[in-house]
Amino acid sequence: MRLGLRIAHPGAAWLSATGTFAIYLLTMARDLTFYDSPELALVAHQLGVGHPVGQPLHTLVGWVFAHIPYVSVHVGLTMMSALFGAMCALPAWSLAERLGGSSWSTVWIRALVTVGVGASLIAWEPSGRVEVYTLAAFAALWSIAFAADHPG
């Protein structure tokens, strides 16, 4: 499954995303945090409207994660942030292959760099709490990678 993207080594790309997801799951917040997380959790749980302009995609997708059986609302929504944060590895991998080739000699380096970037503070912090940025980053990266793979 390549999400409609051109990826020469999908197994290695998914392994990088899975490793990043594991890091996020092990270190994610299990309760309310700071910034907009409590509001975003409440809005997604109730299918409400947050502060203007709202975040309709996050609210609709979040509703599904907020209603996972036997999982608290907050943990489900934080898992959503972790999932989309980790899935950013796939379009990033596709773009990196376009820039640096797809030979096996670069696959392991790309895998280490992908997980390393995922573990960096700028990627890890919003992936460990309820936040809109990981879903937005995934959508933006996927759109750029898809457009690069399907010109015209």
Side-chain angles (χ1 to χ4, degrees):
M1 184 163 141
R2 299 172 190 207
L3 303 179
L5 303 174
R6 183 171 47 183
I7 299 175
H9 303 286
W14 276 101
L15 187 61
S16 296
T18 302
T20 305
F21 186 55
I23 292 169
Y24 294 162
L25 284 180
L26 291 171
T27 61
M28 73 181 198
R30 304 286 196 260
D31 207 345
L32 293 177
T33 59
F34 45 90
Y35 302 128
D36 292 334
S37 292
E39 176 190 4
L40 293 169
L42 179 65
V43 168
H45 181 256
Q46 296 180 344
L47 278 180
V49 177
H51 58 275
V53 296
Q55 301 80 16
L57 181 61
H58 184 272
T59 301
L60 293 172
V61 175
W63 187 88
V64 173
F65 282 85
H67 292 87
I68 297 173
Y70 309 109
V71 175
S72 74
V73 170
H74 191 78
V75 169
L77 289 165
T78 306
M79 286 171 47
M80 180 179 98
S81 291
L83 177 65
F84 283 106
M87 285 184 60
C88 285
L90 300 171
W93 186 285
S94 175
L95 290 167
E97 281 185 350
R98 293 180 65 77
L99 295 173
S102 61
S103 69
W104 274 105
S105 62
T106 60
V107 167
W108 295 110
I109 294 169
R110 185 174 293 120
L112 289 173
V113 169
T114 302
V115 174
V117 168
S120 70
L121 184 60
I122 198 164
W124 169 80
E125 193 274 330
S127 298
R129 62 186 172 91
V130 179
E131 193 51 80
V132 298
Y133 301 122
T134 60
L135 178 59
F138 173 74
L141 276 170
W142 183 87
S143 298
I144 292 166
F146 187 84
D149 289 345
H150 303 87

